[in-house]
Amino acid sequence: MTQHDRLLIIDFGSQVTQLIARRLRELNVYCEIHPYNRVTDSFLSGFAPKAVILSGGPDSVTREGSPRAPEALWSLGVPVLGICYGQQTMMQQLGGLVEHGHGTAEFGRAFVTPTSDSLPILDGWFDEGREQVWMSHGDHVSRIAPGFTVYGTSPNAPFAITADVSRNFYAVQFHPEVHHTPKGAKLYENFVKLAGFKGDWTMGAYRAEAIAKIRAQVGDAKVICGLSGGVDSSVAAVLIHEAIGDQLTCVFVDHGLLRLGEAEQVVAMFRDHYNMPLIHADESELFLGALEGVSDPEVKRKTIGRLFIDVFQKHATAVGGATFLAQGTLYPDVIESVSFSGGPSVTIKSHHNVGGLPEKMGLKLVEPLRELFKDEVRALGRELGLPASFIGRHPFPGPGLAIRCPGEITAEKLDLLRRADAVYIDQIRKHGLYDEIWQAFAAILPMKTVGVMGDGRTYDYALALRAVTSVDGMTADYYPFSHDFLGETMTRIINEVKGINRVFYDVTSKPPGTIELE
Ligand code: XMP
């Protein structure tokens, strides 16, 4: 358990609760999100928060049986901030009134104007007289609770900002965590300042604590870690290695479907630079043999997944006596989500779990990134000295180039694809576009086309280039390269990779397409 001051976010199921945590982490404040139905009075005293935030949520406070904050919260003596639904339940529970409808629903941009002066959480807020906020509510507070004063009002939310300063209770109708409330971060900053947070949640501090925690958990036992070369498993491996040295062995399964020079880079970095015990399991013949003649994308994935587990297990067993498996599980994977369909049911995604391997091999888990968001993992990677180029790498799928080679996979196609992809990525880097793009890659198409080079006719493979912008890979849009960039890249690929004579640029968004071609 962390030694830092802790802020508790009680989740009522808003789509943007995670953003509250993001804003707070950016202020170096340690916080955790817990669903309202898990936050009992005893949980609350055990957690000992220095402040509490009540999130928004889709339910209506006016509905009987709708979610409430635990009663013990009001006598805990710590600052509480209620947001949207959180504000409404706060008002209702403390003696105010919330009503449904009456034409006061408000969705989208609104402007709040001040009604009283000086409230510490509004420092720097009303410099321009009024401030833009993002509203999303069907219900509204029609009478504030005793002890509260109004500090800000909007046309459809007369009680947009209220507070009972003597009890340190604050309530806002809008969502300060979203980007469309431009001064939202300032509001959180003021709130955590008045709550007395020291801002001590830094990656330097996290590193030292995580190392102590890993040592305490593992003792002198052996740990194995599947290293893919991706950011999460790399950062987890370096951190664990720093904690327990050679008690850690990493297994890097090379399925023969990696990009040009990738296996060498990963091995050189971890074995040579970090002196980490690393098994480079070159199993390309096994994988490529099993994939021979396979063109169905799902069969490809299943074949690779099955072999991956067998191979990992074989090498992990060869290490001998390992009792822990390290995984790069992140915080978004472990946040329990509020479910409104089946009562207090809870979904916990189990990510990176190598096909039930921990249970099968009787291994316990070490998950040192469980408390971190992706960008915090990157910050930790920088803190641990991983090269920036490594930390900022685009995502690469587990089945690798197999799903970038639609149709049958052959050694010839893989070779052409590797070289063409390297030229494409080199072009992107040279033009300074790599960090603007979420993911970029080439795919070799299952067709040959006619071309003319010099005086001769060619009949060679066609290549598709893909580059997308995205936030999380769930939706995506194609990256708008300039025509000059596309023309120059096409020329380089065809000149430098004999065997490819045509280049397409894929402008499909997701949906309707997916990011990968298969
Ligand atoms: P799609 O193609 O589904 O991809 O739009 C979304 C993101 O997921 C990656 N991806 C995979 N990653 N195993 C993985 O580990 C897979 O089978 C797989 N398929 C797609 C893809 O690269 C993109 O980042």
Side-chain angles (χ1 to χ4, degrees):
M1 187 186 286
T2 179
Q3 301 304 310
H4 298 275
D5 294 336
R6 292 141 65 85
L7 189 147
L8 173 65
I9 300 170
I10 301 181
D11 184 20
F12 290 105
S14 160
Q15 297 293 314
V16 288
T17 303
Q18 278 204 29
L19 288 180
I20 305 175
R22 290 296 318 117
R23 298 288 90 82
L24 294 166
R25 297 278 181 102
E26 281 158 17
L27 295 164
N28 297 332
V29 166
Y30 183 80
C31 61
E32 287 183 19
I33 300 173
H34 291 274
Y36 74 91
N37 46 19
R38 291 296 182 99
V39 183
T40 55
D41 290 356
S42 65
F43 176 94
L44 201 57
S45 59
F47 191 93
K50 204 176 169 71
V52 175
I53 293 180
L54 307 175
S55 86
D59 211 331
S60 169
V61 170
T62 60
R63 189 184 67 77
E64 208 180 307
S66 56
R68 291 288 177 269
E71 279 305 318
L73 176 63
W74 314 118
S75 51
L76 205 60
V78 302
V80 181
L81 170 64
I83 292 165
C84 198
Y85 185 92
Q87 172 232 26
Q88 293 170 2
T89 193
M90 182 189 261
M91 286 302 143
Q92 183 94 345
Q93 290 183 256
L94 296 176
L97 188 65
V98 177
E99 284 183 302
H100 190 63
H102 301 302
T104 50
E106 217 176 1
F107 296 96
R109 198 161 60 145
F111 288 90
V112 177
T113 46
T115 55
S116 295
D117 39 37
S118 84
L119 181 68
I121 66 162
L122 295 176
D123 273 359
W125 246 62
F126 289 121
D127 302 347
E128 279 134 47
R130 61 176 201 164
E131 192 51 42
Q132 182 187 314
V133 298
W134 195 255
M135 296 280 192
S136 178
H137 62 104
D139 296 350
H140 69 285
V141 175
S142 55
R143 190 182 74 228
I144 49 174
F148 278 77
T149 303
V150 186
Y151 289 90
T153 181
S154 79
N156 279 340
F159 306 125
I161 305 171
T162 59
D164 177 343
V165 177
S166 67
R167 288 191 287 175
N168 256 332
F169 294 160
Y170 304 88
V172 295
Q173 179 58 73
F174 53 88
H175 288 272
E177 60 276 18
V178 305
H179 169 75
H180 299 90
T181 301
K183 282 201 182 154
K186 183 73 184 153
L187 191 140
Y188 285 118
E189 187 186 332
N190 293 337
F191 178 69
V192 298
K193 200 165 128 196
L194 80 83
F197 281 88
K198 293 187 285 293
D200 54 3
W201 172 252
T202 61
M203 278 308 126
Y206 183 82
R207 173 188 190 173
E209 278 168 27
I211 286 172
K213 208 159 115 183
I214 294 165
R215 285 186 184 141
Q217 184 192 4
V218 169
D220 54 12
K222 281 189 186 172
V223 180
I224 47 162
C225 175
L227 195 66
S228 68
V231 179
D232 304 343
S233 66
S234 300
V235 171
V238 173
L239 186 69
I240 296 170
H241 187 248
E242 201 164 298
I244 58 167
D246 291 356
Q247 284 165 250
L248 171 74
T249 303
C250 290
V251 181
F252 173 61
V253 177
D254 180 351
H255 48 24
L257 298 157
L258 298 167
R259 290 165 292 189
L260 194 68
E262 192 164 15
E264 293 75 10
Q265 278 166 26
V266 172
V267 171
M269 176 145 98
F270 290 96
R271 191 187 277 162
D272 305 342
H273 182 68
Y274 282 100
N275 289 322
M276 233 184 250
L278 172 69
I279 297 170
H280 176 187
D282 181 357
E283 299 280 359
S284 43
E285 275 184 29
L286 174 76
F287 280 84
L288 298 180
L291 288 168
E292 218 175 286
V294 176
S295 53
D296 181 282
E298 277 316 296
V299 180
K300 283 182 185 173
R301 274 197 175 77
K302 288 206 175 95
T303 307
I304 295 167
R306 180 174 45 80
L307 287 178
F308 193 93
I309 290 171
D310 290 350
V311 166
F312 184 81
Q313 186 168 9
K314 180 178 87 183
H315 291 281
T317 309
V319 171
T323 46
F324 286 92
L325 174 72
Q327 289 192 346
T329 314
L330 305 189
Y331 192 45
D333 306 326
V334 295
I335 296 176
E336 296 182 3
S337 52
V338 173
S339 159
F340 283 89
S341 47
S345 78
V346 148
T347 318
I348 303 177
K349 284 187 266 171
S350 179
H351 208 60
H352 302 284
N353 188 337
V354 193
L357 209 60
E359 300 84 49
K360 208 163 145 190
M361 294 178 70
L363 296 171
K364 287 171 273 184
L365 289 177
V366 192
E367 298 178 306
L369 312 181
R370 270 179 81 89
E371 291 168 349
L372 305 184
F373 285 98
K374 186 83 177 183
D375 47 349
E376 291 177 314
V377 172
R378 294 207 169 98
L380 179 60
R382 283 191 287 275
E383 176 73 34
L384 290 163
L386 278 158
S389 58
F390 202 81
I391 289 165
R393 283 169 84 184
H394 292 171
F396 185 64
L401 300 181
I403 55 173
R404 295 178 179 177
C405 192
E408 274 188 47
I409 301 165
T410 65
E412 183 201 13
K413 278 158 103 180
L414 283 178
D415 173 59
L416 294 174
L417 173 57
R418 275 196 185 98
R419 291 191 287 128
D421 184 75
V423 174
Y424 178 42
I425 299 299
D426 182 56
Q427 276 287 102
I428 289 175
R429 286 197 189 278
K430 277 203 175 120
H431 285 256
L433 302 174
Y434 192 84
D435 295 335
E436 270 179 48
I437 294 169
W438 196 78
Q439 195 172 13
F441 57 88
I444 188 158
L445 298 175
M447 65 192 251
K448 288 190 166 182
T449 70
V450 172
V452 53
M453 283 177 89
D455 290 329
R457 176 186 189 274
T458 58
Y459 186 57
D460 286 332
Y461 282 104
L463 190 80
L465 303 182
R466 185 95 166 113
V468 294
T469 54
S470 178
V471 175
D472 50 14
M474 303 300 287
T475 57
D477 205 354
Y478 76 90
Y479 185 80
F481 286 123
S482 70
H483 287 263
D484 285 350
F485 174 90
L486 289 171
E488 189 185 305
T489 305
M490 175 278 296
T491 306
R492 268 196 68 190
I493 290 173
I494 293 178
N495 283 345
E496 294 175 34
V497 187
K498 191 170 174 326
I500 289 175
N501 69 354
R502 194 172 292 263
V503 175
F504 296 101
Y505 185 52
D506 183 350
V507 294
T508 319
S509 58
K510 173 182 179 176
T514 54
I515 295 177
E516 302 289 346
L517 268 67
E518 282 194 334

